[in-house]
């Protein structure tokens, strides 16, 4: 059960409620405050057998706005009733993430050279973009493959991001120590940009990593769906982050590992965009690059990566993680699926067309 308090309520204005909750036998509670730019939202999670607690009684206590009964295993991130329209949005470094808007994170799968990072950042700025993806820590199938430059590249990546007005970089981490390394590099460079910590598909159920990332409040998180587990299992993984205190979670679909998706690298699962939005309050990201995994072009002239992107966007996706590279033939990771910088303007226009179509579909459904 979740008790939602009136916006911006002060602690001393809900002591009657706390006295009531303290007297409930075998029920513990946890207070969560979400500090937004306009107001602070306070929610109290009741843990234990709450079935017999009358919701209506709590709703009459001063300071209480609403009580929501939890009907999903993901109690914090879940959407628990058709009228559970609690805000799903959060703001980070001047960029707002929600189930209602869309951001493109085009960038390098893996950082290789400062020159390539700079060419990428400049192309993004030239095209009005403020977000990117940059891999420094790469989980690789083979121990002999390039593992990413790690912390040695962070300072120049952050400085170049600042130089070109990039506000948020999605960056995968594979160990909790990487959070500290990112923090140190941001401090050393004077916080020129922000980072969204990415948890990759291979780590979706690395519960200790999820707990560490969930415990910190500084960075939002992009959680990739596990490529060989159910959607429910991946949503529970996201709930690990929230249960530790960090509710700023974006959920990414990136395709499922099965040969039934051949010749794509993974079976594209973007029909799950509206499903994740119905079951949870998280903004939903799609990763067409790791889903499709190639640069094949269909007879209509569009790349299959573009078709997959449009399918996710027309279904309401809120974020796109997509691989670009100034010289894919020189990329150290995933060159064959990277789009070229010259393809960025058309890619963005195509996304815009799909987004407008989505918005028209939503207004049609409202009539
Ligand atoms: C990536 O985005 O670079 C990546 C490795 O993705 P995934 O975890 O989905 O394979
Ligand atoms: Mn990759």
């Amino acid at each position: 059960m979740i008790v939602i308090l009136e916006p911006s309520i002060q602690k001393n204005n809900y002591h009657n409620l706390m006295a009531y909750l303290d007297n409930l036998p075998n029920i513990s509670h946890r207070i969560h405050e979400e500090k937004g730019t306009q107001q602070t939202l306070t929610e109290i999670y009741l843990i234990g057998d709450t079935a017999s607690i009358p919701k209506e009684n709590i709703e009459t206590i001063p300071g209480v706005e609403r009580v929501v009964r939890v009907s999903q295993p993901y109690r914090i991130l879940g959407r628990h009733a058709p009228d559970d329209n609690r805000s799903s949005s959060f703001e980070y470094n001047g960029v707002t993430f929600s189930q209602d808007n869309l951001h493109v994170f085009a960038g390098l799968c893996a950082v290789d050279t400062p020159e390539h990072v700079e060419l990428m950042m400049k192309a993004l700025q030239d095209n009005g973009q403020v977000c990117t993806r940059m891999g420094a820590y790469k989980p690789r199938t083979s121990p002999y493959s390039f593992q990413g430059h790690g912390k040695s590249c962070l300072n120049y990546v952050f400085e170049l991001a600042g130089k070109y007005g990039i506000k948020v970089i999605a960056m995968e981490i594979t160990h909790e120590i990487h959070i500290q390394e990112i923090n140190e590099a941001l401090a050393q460079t004077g916080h020129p940009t922000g980072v969204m910590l990415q948890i990759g598909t291979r780590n979706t159920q690395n519960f200790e990593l999820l707990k560490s990332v969930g415990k910190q409040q500084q960075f939002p998180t992009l959680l990739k769906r596990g490529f060989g587990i159910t959607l429910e299992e991946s949503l529970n993984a996201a709930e690990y982050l929230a249960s530790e205190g960090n509710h700023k979670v974006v959920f990414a679909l990136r395709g499922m590992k099965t040969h039934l998706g051949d010749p794509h690298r993974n079976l594209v699962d973007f029909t799950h965009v509206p499903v994740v939005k119905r079951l949870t309050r998280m903004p939903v990201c799609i990763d067409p690059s790791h889903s499709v995994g190639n640069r094949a072009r269909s007879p209509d002239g569009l790349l299959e990566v573009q078709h997959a992107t449009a399918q996710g966007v027309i279904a309401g996706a809120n974020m796109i993680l997509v691989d670009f590279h100034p010289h894919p033939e020189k990329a150290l990771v995933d060159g064959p699926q990277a789009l070229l910088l010259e393809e960025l303007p058309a890619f963005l226009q195509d996304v815009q067309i799909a987004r407008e179509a989505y918005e028209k579909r939503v207004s049609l459904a409202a009539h």
Side-chain angles (χ1 to χ4, degrees):
M1 186 176 256
I2 305 171
V3 182
I4 300 159
L5 305 192
E6 286 162 4
S8 297
I9 194 166
Q10 300 294 316
K11 269 220 163 68
N12 53 359
N13 285 337
Y14 58 90
H15 45 77
N16 286 354
L17 171 69
M18 295 318 289
Y20 178 90
L21 298 181
D22 285 340
N23 275 326
L24 292 173
N26 304 321
I27 303 285
S28 59
H29 52 76
R30 185 156 162 179
I31 303 180
H32 179 80
E33 282 186 358
E34 197 73 57
K35 289 190 173 51
T37 40
Q38 311 284 334
Q39 56 189 20
T40 298
L41 292 176
T42 308
E43 297 182 342
I44 305 178
Y45 299 92
L46 305 192
I47 300 147
D49 183 11
T50 55
S52 60
I53 303 175
K55 166 174 172 329
E56 299 70 27
N57 286 12
I58 302 184
E59 276 174 336
T60 59
I61 302 174
V64 176
E65 185 174 281
R66 229 147 48 83
V67 177
V68 175
R69 262 194 208 287
V70 171
S71 60
Q72 304 284 353
Y74 0 100
R75 63 177 73 206
I76 299 175
L77 296 172
R79 198 180 279 291
H80 298 288
D83 68 339
D84 184 3
N85 55 1
R86 285 174 295 156
S87 157
S88 57
S89 70
F90 64 86
E91 201 243 35
Y92 173 65
N93 208 26
V95 182
T96 301
F97 295 87
S98 86
Q99 286 193 338
D100 301 321
N101 62 9
L102 174 64
H103 298 290
V104 179
F105 281 60
L108 305 183
C109 177
V111 171
D112 40 34
T113 67
E115 293 72 27
H116 292 159
V117 173
E118 179 149 22
L119 287 168
M120 186 71 235
M121 302 283 192
K122 183 173 183 317
L124 290 166
Q125 186 182 54
D126 290 346
N127 286 279
Q129 299 301 300
V130 295
C131 300
T132 189
R133 58 156 296 147
M134 290 280 151
Y137 308 96
K138 298 303 300 178
R140 303 304 302 282
T141 304
S142 164
Y144 308 113
S145 302
F146 172 63
Q147 305 282 310
H149 287 308
K151 73 173 175 183
S152 70
C153 70
L154 297 180
N155 284 28
Y156 73 74
V157 169
F158 295 160
E159 277 162 1
L160 288 167
K163 178 171 171 191
Y164 292 99
I166 300 296
K167 296 189 176 305
V168 187
I169 305 175
M171 182 174 277
E172 177 163 0
I173 61 161
T174 55
H175 192 282
E176 65 178 297
I177 192 129
H178 301 154
I179 307 173
Q180 199 183 322
E181 292 175 3
I182 290 171
N183 249 320
E184 281 167 11
L186 282 172
Q188 277 164 19
T189 52
H191 294 274
T193 187
V195 172
M196 178 179 277
L197 301 176
Q198 182 176 323
I199 294 179
T201 196
R202 292 161 186 80
N203 276 313
T204 309
Q205 286 190 313
N206 181 341
F207 298 115
E208 297 311 314
L209 180 64
L210 294 174
K211 287 183 202 167
S212 309
V213 172
K215 279 197 179 84
Q216 59 80 38
Q217 292 290 333
Q218 196 178 345
F219 304 110
T221 309
L222 177 67
L223 178 81
K224 292 274 193 100
R225 175 186 194 168
F227 55 30
I229 57 176
T230 64
L231 181 63
E232 190 180 342
E233 286 164 333
S234 290
L235 295 178
N236 271 297
E239 184 72 15
Y240 260 90
L241 298 163
S243 73
E244 295 293 337
N246 194 334
H247 297 194
K248 296 178 177 169
V249 186
V250 178
F251 187 83
L253 299 169
R254 47 81 70 213
M256 303 303 290
K257 199 180 183 77
T258 156
H259 288 300
L260 300 178
D262 290 356
H264 288 163
R265 183 172 172 180
N266 288 288
L267 182 67
V268 182
D269 55 351
F270 299 165
T271 46
H272 276 168
V273 169
V275 179
V276 179
K277 289 171 85 170
R278 169 169 60 84
L279 294 175
T280 79
R281 303 184 288 143
M282 288 183 277
V284 182
C285 173
I286 51 163
D287 179 341
S289 301
H290 288 82
S291 297
V292 170
N294 64 40
R295 288 187 39 84
R297 197 177 290 279
S298 77
D300 57 22
L302 289 152
L303 295 168
E304 286 173 17
V305 169
Q306 287 181 284
H307 275 298
T309 305
Q311 286 159 15
V313 173
I314 205 165
N318 308 112
M319 173 170 163
I320 303 166
L321 199 67
V322 56
D323 291 2
F324 274 75
H325 199 286
H327 299 287
E329 70 291 354
K330 294 187 190 160
L332 298 177
V333 184
D334 284 348
Q337 71 190 26
L339 307 197
L340 309 172
L341 299 191
E342 310 79 276
E343 291 169 328
L344 183 59
F347 179 86
L348 294 171
Q349 269 181 51
D350 194 36
V351 165
Q352 190 54 30
I353 292 169
R355 177 70 189 176
E356 281 163 18
Y358 167 71
E359 285 167 0
K360 280 188 194 154
R361 294 175 65 222
V362 170
S363 52
L364 185 66
H367 286 112

